[in-house]
Amino acid sequence: MGTDTGDTPDTAAAALARFSINQQTVKQLGLPELADACGRLGVRGVGLWREPVQRYGLRAAARLVRDAGLTVTSLCRGGFLTDPGPDARRRALDDNRAALDEAATLGTDTLVLVSGGLPEGSRDLVGARERIADALAELVPYAADRGVRMAIEPLHPMFASDRCVVSTLGQALDLAERFPAEQVGVVVDTYHLWWDDRAPDGIARAGAGGRLASLQLADWITPLPEGVLLGRGQLGDGAVDLRHFRRLADAAGYSGPVEVEIFNPALWARDGAEVLAETAERYVRHVAEEAVRETS
Amino acid sequence: MGTDTGDTPDTAAAALARFSINQQTVKQLGLPELADACGRLGVRGVGLWREPVQRYGLRAAARLVRDAGLTVTSLCRGGFLTDPGPDARRRALDDNRAALDEAATLGTDTLVLVSGGLPEGSRDLVGARERIADALAELVPYAADRGVRMAIEPLHPMFASDRCVVSTLGQALDLAERFPAEQVGVVVDTYHLWWDDRAPDGIARAGAGGRLASLQLADWITPLPEGVLLGRGQLGDGAVDLRHFRRLADAAGYSGPVEVEIFNPALWARDGAEVLAETAERYVRHVAEEAVRETS
């Protein structure tokens, strides 16, 4: 199966100009294989994760993607800033400083933050959100020195207790707007926000404030698997009007990369290059504006 | 295990004055067993479901609960109003009229509505919500004739595609407020709304408009099971500040029943009367105001 992204290689390349593949979507590929597959398809952007980058070696990974002509559109992830214990808090801040260093080394200006859930036994969402703000205040100068922006990612409310107490774009912006837009932005991920009738207003607000740091895509499919973490759908397989969200981001002034991040064991069980080609084709069909013009 | 709800039976009865047990929480109990167990514990309210009521017989069920001195605090459920097909729509309206009839026969003024998910293949949340409004417009006169109020229940956003496109209290109120408060209200269920920082404003708005038709409780626990429907937690086992929600409802002028509705196979596998006693005890400990006064 080819990418089927248009009549000519140039058309395909144009349709994929903003497309970025998050490494986790095709985690069966090592970094060199990922870079090769991107090169063959004309994919120019990759979103990376700290753990596989560390396994490969940070500097080696930075060199590999640079030599392959790839742009690192984001690094996942910092965050987990809600634990009130002094030791846990110090470790979390240290870890986030390390993540900011790694982002700078990889040449990306965007560190995605998954803020953290409720501490064990706590029912205090408001307090947890306030601790995130406190931690951001400590991290902002460090991020500024490295030219990296922390991007708060609201996660679907089904993750509010165990992963991220920031559940809506509005909440993420309430946090981000306490700090300079150059250091703290937000992530718009369709998987997490698709259901929210206030998301369009949030996207406009993020754009107006210069805080729309990253646009990520995955589709919503059911039934959700146990634990709900690995149930994301391939673009076009689910309930999300993906093109609508891309247009909302564009209308808010966003012209950056559009990163596809899908956690799905069925995709991981397949040939990674084939999944990447399929994902690129789905992107052109369900997200890119060029495809609409061609087929209309 | 007793209910341990206070020093004397009178104290226990006072603490349980607003407590109602939703039938589904202890679905292992038949209606007569449920009524017996309620009588022994001093529980005065039950929330019923259409299917077990129909199996028992509608009129027989109405007589049973009346003779037992129980108040039916709600009937679950109407709704599923999002399918655009004319036949499906007609069937849904007929079914909701039947549910309104059944509510009137059972002597409850509250029919809980689960509005319905996205139709197969649709990505149009806005359109689906609009079809709910259209259906409510048709049902309102019928509800008024029977003295029953339809109570729109916002379901957790993880159910937005397959069960209920109304995901927040704000959305439920936007729908309800198009109609008279006597015919269309909202349900506040902690399981669905606990994560939402806008829920307190929504509860105040619902109270001010006289639309807070039902307060339901379940706790939020993780990991969620496959399909996520049957993962609700016993009161006190999870992340929700249940008393806070009850106080918010009270502050909004709500003085009605507080109904516990938990879907959890681990509870269903136990002795139903024991689960009811435990639930009543948890209610007193984690929800009722009287318990706070006693222990503070």
Side-chain angles (χ1 to χ4, degrees), chain B residues 39-63:
Chain B
R40 284 197 303 277
L41 290 163
V43 171
R44 303 176 196 169
V46 290
L48 299 180
W49 280 64
R50 297 178 68 196
E51 295 76 8
V53 163
Q54 285 161 4
R55 281 196 299 272
Y56 190 79
L58 175 64
R59 284 177 196 289
R63 196 177 320 117

mmCIF file with all atom_site columns, all heavy atoms in Angstrom, chain B residues 39-63:
data_model
loop_
_atom_site.group_PDB
_atom_site.id
_atom_site.type_symbol
_atom_site.label_atom_id
_atom_site.label_alt_id
_atom_site.label_comp_id
_atom_site.label_asym_id
_atom_site.label_entity_id
_atom_site.label_seq_id
_atom_site.pdbx_PDB_ins_code
_atom_site.Cartn_x
_atom_site.Cartn_y
_atom_site.Cartn_z
_atom_site.occupancy
_atom_site.B_iso_or_equiv
_atom_site.pdbx_formal_charge
_atom_site.auth_seq_id
_atom_site.auth_comp_id
_atom_site.auth_asym_id
_atom_site.auth_atom_id
_atom_site.pdbx_PDB_model_num
ATOM 1   N N   . GLY B 1 39 ? -36.709 -1.300 54.430 1.00 0.00 ? 39 GLY B N   1
ATOM 2   C CA  . GLY B 1 39 ? -37.489 -1.174 55.653 1.00 0.00 ? 39 GLY B CA  1
ATOM 3   C C   . GLY B 1 39 ? -36.653 -1.429 56.900 1.00 0.00 ? 39 GLY B C   1
ATOM 4   O O   . GLY B 1 39 ? -36.743 -0.699 57.884 1.00 0.00 ? 39 GLY B O   1
ATOM 5   N N   . ARG B 1 40 ? -35.838 -2.468 56.857 1.00 0.00 ? 40 ARG B N   1
ATOM 6   C CA  . ARG B 1 40 ? -35.008 -2.804 58.016 1.00 0.00 ? 40 ARG B CA  1
ATOM 7   C C   . ARG B 1 40 ? -33.986 -1.721 58.346 1.00 0.00 ? 40 ARG B C   1
ATOM 8   O O   . ARG B 1 40 ? -33.647 -1.504 59.510 1.00 0.00 ? 40 ARG B O   1
ATOM 9   C CB  . ARG B 1 40 ? -34.287 -4.146 57.782 1.00 0.00 ? 40 ARG B CB  1
ATOM 10  C CG  . ARG B 1 40 ? -35.196 -5.360 57.943 1.00 0.00 ? 40 ARG B CG  1
ATOM 11  C CD  . ARG B 1 40 ? -34.389 -6.647 58.120 1.00 0.00 ? 40 ARG B CD  1
ATOM 12  N NE  . ARG B 1 40 ? -33.464 -6.870 57.016 1.00 0.00 ? 40 ARG B NE  1
ATOM 13  C CZ  . ARG B 1 40 ? -33.793 -7.431 55.850 1.00 0.00 ? 40 ARG B CZ  1
ATOM 14  N NH1 . ARG B 1 40 ? -35.046 -7.826 55.627 1.00 0.00 ? 40 ARG B NH1 1
ATOM 15  N NH2 . ARG B 1 40 ? -32.893 -7.603 54.900 1.00 0.00 ? 40 ARG B NH2 1
ATOM 16  N N   . LEU B 1 41 ? -33.487 -1.040 57.301 1.00 0.00 ? 41 LEU B N   1
ATOM 17  C CA  . LEU B 1 41 ? -32.426 -0.035 57.499 1.00 0.00 ? 41 LEU B CA  1
ATOM 18  C C   . LEU B 1 41 ? -32.962 1.379  57.710 1.00 0.00 ? 41 LEU B C   1
ATOM 19  O O   . LEU B 1 41 ? -32.195 2.294  58.028 1.00 0.00 ? 41 LEU B O   1
ATOM 20  C CB  . LEU B 1 41 ? -31.479 -0.023 56.292 1.00 0.00 ? 41 LEU B CB  1
ATOM 21  C CG  . LEU B 1 41 ? -30.576 -1.242 56.134 1.00 0.00 ? 41 LEU B CG  1
ATOM 22  C CD1 . LEU B 1 41 ? -30.016 -1.296 54.722 1.00 0.00 ? 41 LEU B CD1 1
ATOM 23  C CD2 . LEU B 1 41 ? -29.449 -1.200 57.160 1.00 0.00 ? 41 LEU B CD2 1
ATOM 24  N N   . GLY B 1 42 ? -34.259 1.567  57.490 1.00 0.00 ? 42 GLY B N   1
ATOM 25  C CA  . GLY B 1 42 ? -34.800 2.921  57.563 1.00 0.00 ? 42 GLY B CA  1
ATOM 26  C C   . GLY B 1 42 ? -34.553 3.738  56.307 1.00 0.00 ? 42 GLY B C   1
ATOM 27  O O   . GLY B 1 42 ? -34.557 4.970  56.344 1.00 0.00 ? 42 GLY B O   1
ATOM 28  N N   . VAL B 1 43 ? -34.335 3.046  55.193 1.00 0.00 ? 43 VAL B N   1
ATOM 29  C CA  . VAL B 1 43 ? -34.162 3.736  53.909 1.00 0.00 ? 43 VAL B CA  1
ATOM 30  C C   . VAL B 1 43 ? -35.544 4.012  53.330 1.00 0.00 ? 43 VAL B C   1
ATOM 31  O O   . VAL B 1 43 ? -36.378 3.114  53.241 1.00 0.00 ? 43 VAL B O   1
ATOM 32  C CB  . VAL B 1 43 ? -33.329 2.875  52.932 1.00 0.00 ? 43 VAL B CB  1
ATOM 33  C CG1 . VAL B 1 43 ? -33.346 3.480  51.534 1.00 0.00 ? 43 VAL B CG1 1
ATOM 34  C CG2 . VAL B 1 43 ? -31.906 2.712  53.460 1.00 0.00 ? 43 VAL B CG2 1
ATOM 35  N N   . ARG B 1 44 ? -35.769 5.271  52.937 1.00 0.00 ? 44 ARG B N   1
ATOM 36  C CA  . ARG B 1 44 ? -37.117 5.670  52.522 1.00 0.00 ? 44 ARG B CA  1
ATOM 37  C C   . ARG B 1 44 ? -37.288 5.909  51.036 1.00 0.00 ? 44 ARG B C   1
ATOM 38  O O   . ARG B 1 44 ? -38.395 6.112  50.559 1.00 0.00 ? 44 ARG B O   1
ATOM 39  C CB  . ARG B 1 44 ? -37.500 6.959  53.252 1.00 0.00 ? 44 ARG B CB  1
ATOM 40  C CG  . ARG B 1 44 ? -37.433 6.820  54.758 1.00 0.00 ? 44 ARG B CG  1
ATOM 41  C CD  . ARG B 1 44 ? -37.722 8.159  55.417 1.00 0.00 ? 44 ARG B CD  1
ATOM 42  N NE  . ARG B 1 44 ? -37.303 8.168  56.810 1.00 0.00 ? 44 ARG B NE  1
ATOM 43  C CZ  . ARG B 1 44 ? -37.236 9.252  57.555 1.00 0.00 ? 44 ARG B CZ  1
ATOM 44  N NH1 . ARG B 1 44 ? -37.571 10.428 57.051 1.00 0.00 ? 44 ARG B NH1 1
ATOM 45  N NH2 . ARG B 1 44 ? -36.835 9.184  58.815 1.00 0.00 ? 44 ARG B NH2 1
ATOM 46  N N   . GLY B 1 45 ? -36.153 5.958  50.292 1.00 0.00 ? 45 GLY B N   1
ATOM 47  C CA  . GLY B 1 45 ? -36.254 6.273  48.869 1.00 0.00 ? 45 GLY B CA  1
ATOM 48  C C   . GLY B 1 45 ? -35.571 5.225  48.006 1.00 0.00 ? 45 GLY B C   1
ATOM 49  O O   . GLY B 1 45 ? -34.532 4.665  48.384 1.00 0.00 ? 45 GLY B O   1
ATOM 50  N N   . VAL B 1 46 ? -36.181 4.964  46.848 1.00 0.00 ? 46 VAL B N   1
ATOM 51  C CA  . VAL B 1 46 ? -35.549 4.075  45.865 1.00 0.00 ? 46 VAL B CA  1
ATOM 52  C C   . VAL B 1 46 ? -35.645 4.725  44.486 1.00 0.00 ? 46 VAL B C   1
ATOM 53  O O   . VAL B 1 46 ? -36.646 5.373  44.151 1.00 0.00 ? 46 VAL B O   1
ATOM 54  C CB  . VAL B 1 46 ? -36.223 2.680  45.792 1.00 0.00 ? 46 VAL B CB  1
ATOM 55  C CG1 . VAL B 1 46 ? -35.943 1.887  47.059 1.00 0.00 ? 46 VAL B CG1 1
ATOM 56  C CG2 . VAL B 1 46 ? -37.714 2.802  45.533 1.00 0.00 ? 46 VAL B CG2 1
ATOM 57  N N   . GLY B 1 47 ? -34.568 4.557  43.707 1.00 0.00 ? 47 GLY B N   1
ATOM 58  C CA  . GLY B 1 47 ? -34.601 4.903  42.289 1.00 0.00 ? 47 GLY B CA  1
ATOM 59  C C   . GLY B 1 47 ? -34.795 3.625  41.499 1.00 0.00 ? 47 GLY B C   1
ATOM 60  O O   . GLY B 1 47 ? -34.108 2.629  41.763 1.00 0.00 ? 47 GLY B O   1
ATOM 61  N N   . LEU B 1 48 ? -35.747 3.622  40.593 1.00 0.00 ? 48 LEU B N   1
ATOM 62  C CA  . LEU B 1 48 ? -36.080 2.390  39.873 1.00 0.00 ? 48 LEU B CA  1
ATOM 63  C C   . LEU B 1 48 ? -35.645 2.453  38.416 1.00 0.00 ? 48 LEU B C   1
ATOM 64  O O   . LEU B 1 48 ? -35.430 3.525  37.855 1.00 0.00 ? 48 LEU B O   1
ATOM 65  C CB  . LEU B 1 48 ? -37.583 2.114  39.969 1.00 0.00 ? 48 LEU B CB  1
ATOM 66  C CG  . LEU B 1 48 ? -38.133 1.906  41.392 1.00 0.00 ? 48 LEU B CG  1
ATOM 67  C CD1 . LEU B 1 48 ? -39.640 1.632  41.338 1.00 0.00 ? 48 LEU B CD1 1
ATOM 68  C CD2 . LEU B 1 48 ? -37.417 0.741  42.103 1.00 0.00 ? 48 LEU B CD2 1
ATOM 69  N N   . TRP B 1 49 ? -35.510 1.274  37.815 1.00 0.00 ? 49 TRP B N   1
ATOM 70  C CA  . TRP B 1 49 ? -35.204 1.130  36.385 1.00 0.00 ? 49 TRP B CA  1
ATOM 71  C C   . TRP B 1 49 ? -36.379 0.447  35.695 1.00 0.00 ? 49 TRP B C   1
ATOM 72  O O   . TRP B 1 49 ? -37.044 -0.418 36.267 1.00 0.00 ? 49 TRP B O   1
ATOM 73  C CB  . TRP B 1 49 ? -33.923 0.306  36.191 1.00 0.00 ? 49 TRP B CB  1
ATOM 74  C CG  . TRP B 1 49 ? -32.695 1.146  36.410 1.00 0.00 ? 49 TRP B CG  1
ATOM 75  C CD1 . TRP B 1 49 ? -32.310 1.738  37.571 1.00 0.00 ? 49 TRP B CD1 1
ATOM 76  C CD2 . TRP B 1 49 ? -31.723 1.515  35.424 1.00 0.00 ? 49 TRP B CD2 1
ATOM 77  N NE1 . TRP B 1 49 ? -31.156 2.459  37.373 1.00 0.00 ? 49 TRP B NE1 1
ATOM 78  C CE2 . TRP B 1 49 ? -30.764 2.333  36.069 1.00 0.00 ? 49 TRP B CE2 1
ATOM 79  C CE3 . TRP B 1 49 ? -31.561 1.238  34.063 1.00 0.00 ? 49 TRP B CE3 1
ATOM 80  C CZ2 . TRP B 1 49 ? -29.669 2.872  35.393 1.00 0.00 ? 49 TRP B CZ2 1
ATOM 81  C CZ3 . TRP B 1 49 ? -30.460 1.765  33.401 1.00 0.00 ? 49 TRP B CZ3 1
ATOM 82  C CH2 . TRP B 1 49 ? -29.531 2.577  34.057 1.00 0.00 ? 49 TRP B CH2 1
ATOM 83  N N   . ARG B 1 50 ? -36.591 0.837  34.463 1.00 0.00 ? 50 ARG B N   1
ATOM 84  C CA  . ARG B 1 50 ? -37.756 0.348  33.741 1.00 0.00 ? 50 ARG B CA  1
ATOM 85  C C   . ARG B 1 50 ? -37.749 -1.168 33.551 1.00 0.00 ? 50 ARG B C   1
ATOM 86  O O   . ARG B 1 50 ? -38.788 -1.811 33.701 1.00 0.00 ? 50 ARG B O   1
ATOM 87  C CB  . ARG B 1 50 ? -37.852 1.022  32.371 1.00 0.00 ? 50 ARG B CB  1
ATOM 88  C CG  . ARG B 1 50 ? -38.062 2.517  32.468 1.00 0.00 ? 50 ARG B CG  1
ATOM 89  C CD  . ARG B 1 50 ? -38.095 3.138  31.089 1.00 0.00 ? 50 ARG B CD  1
ATOM 90  N NE  . ARG B 1 50 ? -39.282 2.734  30.350 1.00 0.00 ? 50 ARG B NE  1
ATOM 91  C CZ  . ARG B 1 50 ? -39.415 2.871  29.022 1.00 0.00 ? 50 ARG B CZ  1
ATOM 92  N NH1 . ARG B 1 50 ? -38.418 3.374  28.323 1.00 0.00 ? 50 ARG B NH1 1
ATOM 93  N NH2 . ARG B 1 50 ? -40.523 2.496  28.423 1.00 0.00 ? 50 ARG B NH2 1
ATOM 94  N N   . GLU B 1 51 ? -36.600 -1.740 33.186 1.00 0.00 ? 51 GLU B N   1
ATOM 95  C CA  . GLU B 1 51 ? -36.577 -3.156 32.806 1.00 0.00 ? 51 GLU B CA  1
ATOM 96  C C   . GLU B 1 51 ? -36.945 -4.059 33.986 1.00 0.00 ? 51 GLU B C   1
ATOM 97  O O   . GLU B 1 51 ? -37.836 -4.912 33.852 1.00 0.00 ? 51 GLU B O   1
ATOM 98  C CB  . GLU B 1 51 ? -35.224 -3.518 32.199 1.00 0.00 ? 51 GLU B CB  1
ATOM 99  C CG  . GLU B 1 51 ? -34.912 -2.802 30.883 1.00 0.00 ? 51 GLU B CG  1
ATOM 100 C CD  . GLU B 1 51 ? -34.508 -1.340 31.050 1.00 0.00 ? 51 GLU B CD  1
ATOM 101 O OE1 . GLU B 1 51 ? -34.320 -0.886 32.211 1.00 0.00 ? 51 GLU B OE1 1
ATOM 102 O OE2 . GLU B 1 51 ? -34.386 -0.624 30.042 1.00 0.00 ? 51 GLU B OE2 1
ATOM 103 N N   . PRO B 1 52 ? -36.314 -3.923 35.150 1.00 0.00 ? 52 PRO B N   1
ATOM 104 C CA  . PRO B 1 52 ? -36.723 -4.786 36.273 1.00 0.00 ? 52 PRO B CA  1
ATOM 105 C C   . PRO B 1 52 ? -38.154 -4.494 36.731 1.00 0.00 ? 52 PRO B C   1
ATOM 106 O O   . PRO B 1 52 ? -38.854 -5.426 37.168 1.00 0.00 ? 52 PRO B O   1
ATOM 107 C CB  . PRO B 1 52 ? -35.702 -4.467 37.376 1.00 0.00 ? 52 PRO B CB  1
ATOM 108 C CG  . PRO B 1 52 ? -35.029 -3.208 36.970 1.00 0.00 ? 52 PRO B CG  1
ATOM 109 C CD  . PRO B 1 52 ? -35.116 -3.122 35.489 1.00 0.00 ? 52 PRO B CD  1
ATOM 110 N N   . VAL B 1 53 ? -38.588 -3.250 36.622 1.00 0.00 ? 53 VAL B N   1
ATOM 111 C CA  . VAL B 1 53 ? -39.979 -2.934 36.971 1.00 0.00 ? 53 VAL B CA  1
ATOM 112 C C   . VAL B 1 53 ? -40.927 -3.660 36.023 1.00 0.00 ? 53 VAL B C   1
ATOM 113 O O   . VAL B 1 53 ? -41.928 -4.254 36.448 1.00 0.00 ? 53 VAL B O   1
ATOM 114 C CB  . VAL B 1 53 ? -40.215 -1.409 36.937 1.00 0.00 ? 53 VAL B CB  1
ATOM 115 C CG1 . VAL B 1 53 ? -41.714 -1.087 36.885 1.00 0.00 ? 53 VAL B CG1 1
ATOM 116 C CG2 . VAL B 1 53 ? -39.566 -0.750 38.153 1.00 0.00 ? 53 VAL B CG2 1
ATOM 117 N N   . GLN B 1 54 ? -40.598 -3.658 34.735 1.00 0.00 ? 54 GLN B N   1
ATOM 118 C CA  . GLN B 1 54 ? -41.464 -4.343 33.775 1.00 0.00 ? 54 GLN B CA  1
ATOM 119 C C   . GLN B 1 54 ? -41.474 -5.848 34.021 1.00 0.00 ? 54 GLN B C   1
ATOM 120 O O   . GLN B 1 54 ? -42.512 -6.504 33.872 1.00 0.00 ? 54 GLN B O   1
ATOM 121 C CB  . GLN B 1 54 ? -41.024 -4.018 32.342 1.00 0.00 ? 54 GLN B CB  1
ATOM 122 C CG  . GLN B 1 54 ? -41.435 -2.604 31.914 1.00 0.00 ? 54 GLN B CG  1
ATOM 123 C CD  . GLN B 1 54 ? -40.644 -2.095 30.715 1.00 0.00 ? 54 GLN B CD  1
ATOM 124 O OE1 . GLN B 1 54 ? -39.839 -2.817 30.140 1.00 0.00 ? 54 GLN B OE1 1
ATOM 125 N NE2 . GLN B 1 54 ? -40.877 -0.843 30.351 1.00 0.00 ? 54 GLN B NE2 1
ATOM 126 N N   . ARG B 1 55 ? -40.307 -6.378 34.369 1.00 0.00 ? 55 ARG B N   1
ATOM 127 C CA  . ARG B 1 55 ? -40.263 -7.819 34.647 1.00 0.00 ? 55 ARG B CA  1
ATOM 128 C C   . ARG B 1 55 ? -41.156 -8.167 35.850 1.00 0.00 ? 55 ARG B C   1
ATOM 129 O O   . ARG B 1 55 ? -41.822 -9.197 35.869 1.00 0.00 ? 55 ARG B O   1
ATOM 130 C CB  . ARG B 1 55 ? -38.815 -8.276 34.923 1.00 0.00 ? 55 ARG B CB  1
ATOM 131 C CG  . ARG B 1 55 ? -37.992 -8.466 33.660 1.00 0.00 ? 55 ARG B CG  1
ATOM 132 C CD  . ARG B 1 55 ? -36.721 -9.282 33.935 1.00 0.00 ? 55 ARG B CD  1
ATOM 133 N NE  . ARG B 1 55 ? -35.846 -8.656 34.895 1.00 0.00 ? 55 ARG B NE  1
ATOM 134 C CZ  . ARG B 1 55 ? -34.889 -7.770 34.587 1.00 0.00 ? 55 ARG B CZ  1
ATOM 135 N NH1 . ARG B 1 55 ? -34.710 -7.402 33.332 1.00 0.00 ? 55 ARG B NH1 1
ATOM 136 N NH2 . ARG B 1 55 ? -34.126 -7.244 35.522 1.00 0.00 ? 55 ARG B NH2 1
ATOM 137 N N   . TYR B 1 56 ? -41.151 -7.297 36.843 1.00 0.00 ? 56 TYR B N   1
ATOM 138 C CA  . TYR B 1 56 ? -41.977 -7.551 38.036 1.00 0.00 ? 56 TYR B CA  1
ATOM 139 C C   . TYR B 1 56 ? -43.446 -7.256 37.755 1.00 0.00 ? 56 TYR B C   1
ATOM 140 O O   . TYR B 1 56 ? -44.346 -7.839 38.377 1.00 0.00 ? 56 TYR B O   1
ATOM 141 C CB  . TYR B 1 56 ? -41.476 -6.688 39.194 1.00 0.00 ? 56 TYR B CB  1
ATOM 142 C CG  . TYR B 1 56 ? -42.092 -7.021 40.525 1.00 0.00 ? 56 TYR B CG  1
ATOM 143 C CD1 . TYR B 1 56 ? -41.652 -8.118 41.259 1.00 0.00 ? 56 TYR B CD1 1
ATOM 144 C CD2 . TYR B 1 56 ? -43.143 -6.259 41.042 1.00 0.00 ? 56 TYR B CD2 1
ATOM 145 C CE1 . TYR B 1 56 ? -42.231 -8.440 42.469 1.00 0.00 ? 56 TYR B CE1 1
ATOM 146 C CE2 . TYR B 1 56 ? -43.718 -6.565 42.251 1.00 0.00 ? 56 TYR B CE2 1
ATOM 147 C CZ  . TYR B 1 56 ? -43.263 -7.667 42.962 1.00 0.00 ? 56 TYR B CZ  1
ATOM 148 O OH  . TYR B 1 56 ? -43.833 -7.982 44.160 1.00 0.00 ? 56 TYR B OH  1
ATOM 149 N N   . GLY B 1 57 ? -43.663 -6.373 36.826 1.00 0.00 ? 57 GLY B N   1
ATOM 150 C CA  . GLY B 1 57 ? -45.015 -5.891 36.534 1.00 0.00 ? 57 GLY B CA  1
ATOM 151 C C   . GLY B 1 57 ? -45.151 -4.461 37.039 1.00 0.00 ? 57 GLY B C   1
ATOM 152 O O   . GLY B 1 57 ? -44.925 -4.198 38.230 1.00 0.00 ? 57 GLY B O   1
ATOM 153 N N   . LEU B 1 58 ? -45.531 -3.557 36.154 1.00 0.00 ? 58 LEU B N   1
ATOM 154 C CA  . LEU B 1 58 ? -45.547 -2.134 36.505 1.00 0.00 ? 58 LEU B CA  1
ATOM 155 C C   . LEU B 1 58 ? -46.476 -1.836 37.679 1.00 0.00 ? 58 LEU B C   1
ATOM 156 O O   . LEU B 1 58 ? -46.093 -1.210 38.665 1.00 0.00 ? 58 LEU B O   1
ATOM 157 C CB  . LEU B 1 58 ? -45.949 -1.318 35.274 1.00 0.00 ? 58 LEU B CB  1
ATOM 158 C CG  . LEU B 1 58 ? -46.140 0.176  35.476 1.00 0.00 ? 58 LEU B CG  1
ATOM 159 C CD1 . LEU B 1 58 ? -44.826 0.836  35.875 1.00 0.00 ? 58 LEU B CD1 1
ATOM 160 C CD2 . LEU B 1 58 ? -46.694 0.821  34.203 1.00 0.00 ? 58 LEU B CD2 1
ATOM 161 N N   . ARG B 1 59 ? -47.727 -2.330 37.583 1.00 0.00 ? 59 ARG B N   1
ATOM 162 C CA  . ARG B 1 59 ? -48.697 -2.002 38.638 1.00 0.00 ? 59 ARG B CA  1
ATOM 163 C C   . ARG B 1 59 ? -48.364 -2.705 39.952 1.00 0.00 ? 59 ARG B C   1
ATOM 164 O O   . ARG B 1 59 ? -48.505 -2.120 41.042 1.00 0.00 ? 59 ARG B O   1
ATOM 165 C CB  . ARG B 1 59 ? -50.117 -2.344 38.176 1.00 0.00 ? 59 ARG B CB  1
ATOM 166 C CG  . ARG B 1 59 ? -50.588 -1.315 37.203 1.00 0.00 ? 59 ARG B CG  1
ATOM 167 C CD  . ARG B 1 59 ? -51.920 -1.496 36.564 1.00 0.00 ? 59 ARG B CD  1
ATOM 168 N NE  . ARG B 1 59 ? -51.950 -0.591 35.413 1.00 0.00 ? 59 ARG B NE  1
ATOM 169 C CZ  . ARG B 1 59 ? -52.025 0.740  35.509 1.00 0.00 ? 59 ARG B CZ  1
ATOM 170 N NH1 . ARG B 1 59 ? -52.126 1.313  36.691 1.00 0.00 ? 59 ARG B NH1 1
ATOM 171 N NH2 . ARG B 1 59 ? -52.026 1.493  34.424 1.00 0.00 ? 59 ARG B NH2 1
ATOM 172 N N   . ALA B 1 60 ? -47.889 -3.922 39.826 1.00 0.00 ? 60 ALA B N   1
ATOM 173 C CA  . ALA B 1 60 ? -47.474 -4.652 41.038 1.00 0.00 ? 60 ALA B CA  1
ATOM 174 C C   . ALA B 1 60 ? -46.299 -3.941 41.713 1.00 0.00 ? 60 ALA B C   1
ATOM 175 O O   . ALA B 1 60 ? -46.241 -3.830 42.942 1.00 0.00 ? 60 ALA B O   1
ATOM 176 C CB  . ALA B 1 60 ? -47.089 -6.089 40.680 1.00 0.00 ? 60 ALA B CB  1
ATOM 177 N N   . ALA B 1 61 ? -45.370 -3.423 40.904 1.00 0.00 ? 61 ALA B N   1
ATOM 178 C CA  . ALA B 1 61 ? -44.222 -2.709 41.464 1.00 0.00 ? 61 ALA B CA  1
ATOM 179 C C   . ALA B 1 61 ? -44.678 -1.426 42.155 1.00 0.00 ? 61 ALA B C   1
ATOM 180 O O   . ALA B 1 61 ? -44.218 -1.093 43.261 1.00 0.00 ? 61 ALA B O   1
ATOM 181 C CB  . ALA B 1 61 ? -43.206 -2.384 40.361 1.00 0.00 ? 61 ALA B CB  1
ATOM 182 N N   . ALA B 1 62 ? -45.586 -0.721 41.499 1.00 0.00 ? 62 ALA B N   1
ATOM 183 C CA  . ALA B 1 62 ? -46.097 0.525  42.091 1.00 0.00 ? 62 ALA B CA  1
ATOM 184 C C   . ALA B 1 62 ? -46.762 0.237  43.441 1.00 0.00 ? 62 ALA B C   1
ATOM 185 O O   . ALA B 1 62 ? -46.559 0.968  44.419 1.00 0.00 ? 62 ALA B O   1
ATOM 186 C CB  . ALA B 1 62 ? -47.100 1.183  41.128 1.00 0.00 ? 62 ALA B CB  1
ATOM 187 N N   . ARG B 1 63 ? -47.546 -0.842 43.491 1.00 0.00 ? 63 ARG B N   1
ATOM 188 C CA  . ARG B 1 63 ? -48.239 -1.208 44.723 1.00 0.00 ? 63 ARG B CA  1
ATOM 189 C C   . ARG B 1 63 ? -47.234 -1.612 45.810 1.00 0.00 ? 63 ARG B C   1
ATOM 190 O O   . ARG B 1 63 ? -47.325 -1.180 46.963 1.00 0.00 ? 63 ARG B O   1
ATOM 191 C CB  . ARG B 1 63 ? -49.224 -2.355 44.439 1.00 0.00 ? 63 ARG B CB  1
ATOM 192 C CG  . ARG B 1 63 ? -50.266 -2.569 45.533 1.00 0.00 ? 63 ARG B CG  1
ATOM 193 C CD  . ARG B 1 63 ? -51.262 -3.695 45.154 1.00 0.00 ? 63 ARG B CD  1
ATOM 194 N NE  . ARG B 1 63 ? -51.627 -3.642 43.741 1.00 0.00 ? 63 ARG B NE  1
ATOM 195 C CZ  . ARG B 1 63 ? -51.365 -4.605 42.833 1.00 0.00 ? 63 ARG B CZ  1
ATOM 196 N NH1 . ARG B 1 63 ? -50.744 -5.715 43.198 1.00 0.00 ? 63 ARG B NH1 1
ATOM 197 N NH2 . ARG B 1 63 ? -51.745 -4.476 41.573 1.00 0.00 ? 63 ARG B NH2 1
#
